[in-house]
mmCIF file of all heavy atoms in Angstrom:
data_model
loop_
_atom_site.group_PDB
_atom_site.id
_atom_site.type_symbol
_atom_site.label_atom_id
_atom_site.label_comp_id
_atom_site.label_asym_id
_atom_site.label_seq_id
_atom_site.Cartn_x
_atom_site.Cartn_y
_atom_site.Cartn_z
ATOM 1 N N LYS A 100 -20.179 -163.117 100.643
ATOM 2 C CA LYS A 100 -19.553 -162.137 99.626
ATOM 3 C C LYS A 100 -18.044 -162.384 99.567
ATOM 4 O O LYS A 100 -17.279 -162.253 100.576
ATOM 5 C CB LYS A 100 -19.812 -160.691 100.070
ATOM 6 C CG LYS A 100 -19.413 -159.652 99.061
ATOM 7 C CD LYS A 100 -20.189 -159.679 97.808
ATOM 8 C CE LYS A 100 -19.940 -158.331 96.940
ATOM 9 N NZ LYS A 100 -20.402 -158.527 95.565
ATOM 10 N N ASP A 101 -17.576 -162.879 98.415
ATOM 11 C CA ASP A 101 -16.233 -163.363 98.295
ATOM 12 C C ASP A 101 -15.323 -162.259 97.774
ATOM 13 O O ASP A 101 -14.969 -162.128 96.597
ATOM 14 C CB ASP A 101 -16.129 -164.554 97.269
ATOM 15 C CG ASP A 101 -14.830 -165.178 97.183
ATOM 16 O OD1 ASP A 101 -13.836 -164.694 97.936
ATOM 17 O OD2 ASP A 101 -14.556 -166.161 96.460
ATOM 18 N N GLU A 102 -14.803 -161.369 98.694
ATOM 19 C CA GLU A 102 -13.914 -160.267 98.439
ATOM 20 C C GLU A 102 -12.571 -160.711 98.090
ATOM 21 O O GLU A 102 -11.742 -159.868 97.705
ATOM 22 C CB GLU A 102 -13.852 -159.253 99.588
ATOM 23 C CG GLU A 102 -15.238 -158.461 99.715
ATOM 24 C CD GLU A 102 -15.408 -157.478 98.620
ATOM 25 O OE1 GLU A 102 -14.813 -156.432 98.616
ATOM 26 O OE2 GLU A 102 -16.225 -157.883 97.658
ATOM 27 N N ARG A 103 -12.203 -161.980 98.199
ATOM 28 C CA ARG A 103 -10.952 -162.467 97.772
ATOM 29 C C ARG A 103 -10.722 -162.282 96.144
ATOM 30 O O ARG A 103 -9.650 -162.399 95.711
ATOM 31 C CB ARG A 103 -10.697 -163.930 98.051
ATOM 32 C CG ARG A 103 -10.749 -164.320 99.579
ATOM 33 C CD ARG A 103 -10.783 -165.754 99.749
ATOM 34 N NE ARG A 103 -11.915 -166.387 99.126
ATOM 35 C CZ ARG A 103 -12.127 -167.699 98.987
ATOM 36 N NH1 ARG A 103 -11.195 -168.501 99.553
ATOM 37 N NH2 ARG A 103 -13.189 -168.135 98.395
ATOM 38 N N GLN A 104 -11.842 -162.191 95.477
ATOM 39 C CA GLN A 104 -11.750 -161.999 93.993
ATOM 40 C C GLN A 104 -11.404 -160.622 93.543
ATOM 41 O O GLN A 104 -11.380 -160.338 92.305
ATOM 42 C CB GLN A 104 -13.054 -162.441 93.463
ATOM 43 C CG GLN A 104 -13.547 -163.811 93.869
ATOM 44 C CD GLN A 104 -12.455 -164.933 93.701
ATOM 45 O OE1 GLN A 104 -11.771 -164.956 92.559
ATOM 46 N NE2 GLN A 104 -12.233 -165.735 94.580
ATOM 47 N N ASN A 105 -11.196 -159.678 94.507
ATOM 48 C CA ASN A 105 -10.579 -158.372 94.079
ATOM 49 C C ASN A 105 -9.227 -158.591 93.577
ATOM 50 O O ASN A 105 -8.521 -159.636 93.771
ATOM 51 C CB ASN A 105 -10.628 -157.452 95.288
ATOM 52 C CG ASN A 105 -11.937 -156.812 95.394
ATOM 53 O OD1 ASN A 105 -12.499 -156.173 94.489
ATOM 54 N ND2 ASN A 105 -12.668 -156.995 96.666
ATOM 55 N N PRO A 106 -8.629 -157.485 92.933
ATOM 56 C CA PRO A 106 -7.193 -157.595 92.251
ATOM 57 C C PRO A 106 -6.172 -158.119 93.221
ATOM 58 O O PRO A 106 -5.253 -158.954 92.740
ATOM 59 C CB PRO A 106 -6.988 -156.214 91.914
ATOM 60 C CG PRO A 106 -8.400 -155.686 91.482
ATOM 61 C CD PRO A 106 -9.261 -156.260 92.499
ATOM 62 N N THR A 107 -6.083 -157.683 94.522
ATOM 63 C CA THR A 107 -5.218 -158.212 95.442
ATOM 64 C C THR A 107 -5.707 -158.989 96.580
ATOM 65 O O THR A 107 -5.156 -159.062 97.661
ATOM 66 C CB THR A 107 -4.271 -156.958 95.944
ATOM 67 O OG1 THR A 107 -5.072 -156.312 96.886
ATOM 68 C CG2 THR A 107 -3.795 -156.086 94.917
ATOM 69 N N ASN A 108 -6.831 -159.566 96.287
ATOM 70 C CA ASN A 108 -7.527 -160.551 97.173
ATOM 71 C C ASN A 108 -8.046 -159.817 98.486
ATOM 72 O O ASN A 108 -8.120 -160.481 99.477
ATOM 73 C CB ASN A 108 -6.605 -161.655 97.497
ATOM 74 C CG ASN A 108 -5.985 -162.251 96.352
ATOM 75 O OD1 ASN A 108 -4.705 -162.293 96.246
ATOM 76 N ND2 ASN A 108 -6.805 -162.967 95.471
ATOM 77 N N SER A 109 -8.356 -158.537 98.374
ATOM 78 C CA SER A 109 -8.857 -157.923 99.584
ATOM 79 C C SER A 109 -9.920 -156.822 99.210
ATOM 80 O O SER A 109 -9.828 -156.182 98.224
ATOM 81 C CB SER A 109 -7.657 -157.181 100.264
ATOM 82 O OG SER A 109 -8.042 -156.378 101.286
ATOM 83 N N PHE A 110 -10.768 -156.707 100.167
ATOM 84 C CA PHE A 110 -11.970 -155.619 100.076
ATOM 85 C C PHE A 110 -11.142 -154.149 100.071
ATOM 86 O O PHE A 110 -11.756 -153.236 99.602
ATOM 87 C CB PHE A 110 -12.970 -155.663 101.156
ATOM 88 C CG PHE A 110 -12.369 -155.408 102.588
ATOM 89 C CD1 PHE A 110 -12.285 -153.946 102.965
ATOM 90 C CD2 PHE A 110 -12.013 -156.387 103.391
ATOM 91 C CE1 PHE A 110 -11.816 -153.733 104.282
ATOM 92 C CE2 PHE A 110 -11.538 -156.075 104.619
ATOM 93 C CZ PHE A 110 -11.511 -154.791 105.081
ATOM 94 N N LYS A 111 -9.931 -154.076 100.527
ATOM 95 C CA LYS A 111 -9.315 -152.925 100.613
ATOM 96 C C LYS A 111 -8.919 -152.341 99.289
ATOM 97 O O LYS A 111 -8.607 -151.183 99.148
ATOM 98 C CB LYS A 111 -8.015 -153.030 101.523
ATOM 99 C CG LYS A 111 -8.401 -153.236 102.994
ATOM 100 C CD LYS A 111 -7.214 -153.127 103.919
ATOM 101 C CE LYS A 111 -7.622 -153.411 105.309
ATOM 102 N NZ LYS A 111 -6.435 -153.443 106.292
#
Side-chain angles (χ1 to χ4, degrees):
K100 185 69 165 163
D101 189 0
E102 287 291 278
R103 298 173 303 171
Q104 303 308 313
N105 277 304
T107 71
N108 312 115
S109 172
F110 67 85
K111 292 185 178 181

